[in-house]
Amino acid sequence: MSSKQPPKGPQTREDRLKAALKANLGRRKVQARAKAAQQSGDKPAKEKE
């Protein structure tokens, strides 16, 4: 494990962008699963977290 310290001040721009990208990717995956399930006539699978 790494011994990174949490940022003391506001997040850096890179950290904010990384978090936003991760959240966006998660939303897009959920949308893609729902669309695929809708097209195949299946019920959407429950989201794992």
Side-chain angles (χ1 to χ4, degrees):
M1 281 203 231
S2 64
S3 59
K4 292 184 180 179
Q5 296 178 349
K8 294 180 181 179
Q11 289 182 325
T12 64
R13 180 176 187 267
E14 184 178 340
D15 290 339
R16 289 192 312 269
L17 290 175
K18 198 181 301 183
L21 182 62
K22 187 174 181 178
N24 187 24
L25 182 60
R27 283 192 304 270
R28 290 178 58 184
K29 283 184 177 183
V30 170
Q31 288 174 347
R33 286 186 200 119
K35 185 177 179 181
Q38 184 180 23
Q39 288 177 350
S40 67
D42 295 339
K43 291 182 180 179
K46 289 186 179 181
E47 184 179 331
K48 294 181 181 179
E49 285 192 26

